[in-house]
Amino acid sequence: MPWNRAVLKTQVRRLGYDDPSDMKGGTQVIVAAVPIALNAGEPYVRVTEEGELPHVCPKETETNVREVLESLLVRSRRLPDACAEPLPVCLHCDEAGTRIVELPYLVSTRMTTDEPGWVPCYDLLPWEDHRREEGMGQASALGKLLIAQNEGMPPSERLLEKRRLDALFAMGNCNWKPPLAKERWAAIRNGAQQKEAVGMASCRFPHETNYRWLCAALGHLRLSIIAQAMPVNLMPERFTIPQLHAAVEGILGEAVDRPTFRRGLTNGRSVEDTGACSDEVFGRPARLMRFRTDVVVANQTQGIPLALSLADTVKQAETIDRLFPDGTPRPGDRN
């Protein structure tokens, strides 16, 4: 899936920049990956050794999204096969006036080992977890703080802003809206007293841009779940209904009625019985399910499959170089 300068120019015009004609030198492109996986139903995000989300500024000759993402993730850490979905493009200017084009991608993958680098999403975004009193309390406290910062606004504007914040942070009579994760972070960052609000949000990323990417990815994933799109790339090939239910609750950050969830699976015909049972030690073994083939195919067509097995090749090449000292003939070398 390639991108080109014409696409970037269109995005610049769409977002209000007046002079998008010169895209060379005056614009910096950043490709960012947000690798998300599930562990016991909890969403985790993978960060680099520097504590940031994997990102890179591709060279002028690198115009293929898939190749850039594969290179970025393989160079960062080993991941199994994954699928990338584009998130909304973000354009802004830095202090020097350079235009920044951010191309973030949600990378759905699976956790296979206990390798370092995986961080629970809700350790970074505790207010997004409304299954627990702590998360609900922090969301409410953030909303109240942001409302209090608007005291200087005209009454009509202050009322509209209060209604917006009530809807974002589930205050008053408003229900929690999981897909609005990116909008909530924008409200936190754009508060009148940014340092106080952001400090209350317990920032752990070195740069706040990482929060925007993570919140956009989480919101996109949640919206897909609400639209009845199953997390195919996040689940193992075979799973139980309770495991899938826990995964959906973990992604949404809120409790989901169990009977309603089961009825939705039955009516949607998205899973099928494998004929096997789980090997649980306690209790009655649960039936093992899998996603139907048409669901898997439909999910794959909406994203960019990443062939990250290249990591084995990179690792092997590094090992071969270490095995043979300088000057020692290597297998395949001509005499």
Side-chain angles (χ1 to χ4, degrees), residues 292-309:
R292 293 170 57 92
T293 303
D294 56 337
V295 174
V296 175
V297 172
N299 184 276
Q300 291 177 346
T301 58
Q302 297 175 2
I304 308 172
L306 302 179
L308 300 182
S309 55

Side-chain angles (χ1 to χ4, degrees), residues 27 95 104 111 126 135 141 157 216 267 321-322:
T27 298
E95 296 179 355
M111 296 179 63
E157 294 182 14
N267 297 334
D321 288 339
R322 293 173 182 174

Side-chain angles (χ1 to χ4, degrees), residues 268-325:
R269 296 181 58 82
S270 56
V271 298
E272 60 185 7
D273 198 330
T274 64
C277 293
S278 65
D279 55 355
E280 295 179 358
V281 178
F282 300 102
R284 181 181 177 183
R287 305 289 296 180
L288 285 173
M289 314 296 290
R290 65 187 170 206
F291 292 112
R292 293 170 57 92
T293 303
D294 56 337
V295 174
V296 175
V297 172
N299 184 276
Q300 291 177 346
T301 58
Q302 297 175 2
I304 308 172
L306 302 179
L308 300 182
S309 55
L310 178 63
D312 292 333
T313 305
V314 174
K315 185 176 180 181
Q316 183 182 14
E318 292 176 351
T319 304
I320 291 176
D321 288 339
R322 293 173 182 174
L323 285 175
F324 294 93

Side-chain angles (χ1 to χ4, degrees), residues 214-233:
L214 177 57
C215 288
L218 187 61
H220 176 83
L221 196 55
R222 288 171 165 181
L223 188 60
S224 299
I225 294 294
I226 292 176
Q228 303 300 316
M230 291 291 101
V232 174
N233 299 302

Side-chain angles (χ1 to χ4, degrees), residues 125-147:
L125 310 171
W127 63 89
E128 290 293 335
D129 189 359
H130 271 226
R131 296 168 298 168
R132 300 177 176 86
E133 291 292 336
E134 295 82 358
M136 297 173 63
Q138 185 164 19
S140 178
L142 281 168
K144 292 177 180 178
L145 173 63
L146 294 173
I147 290 175

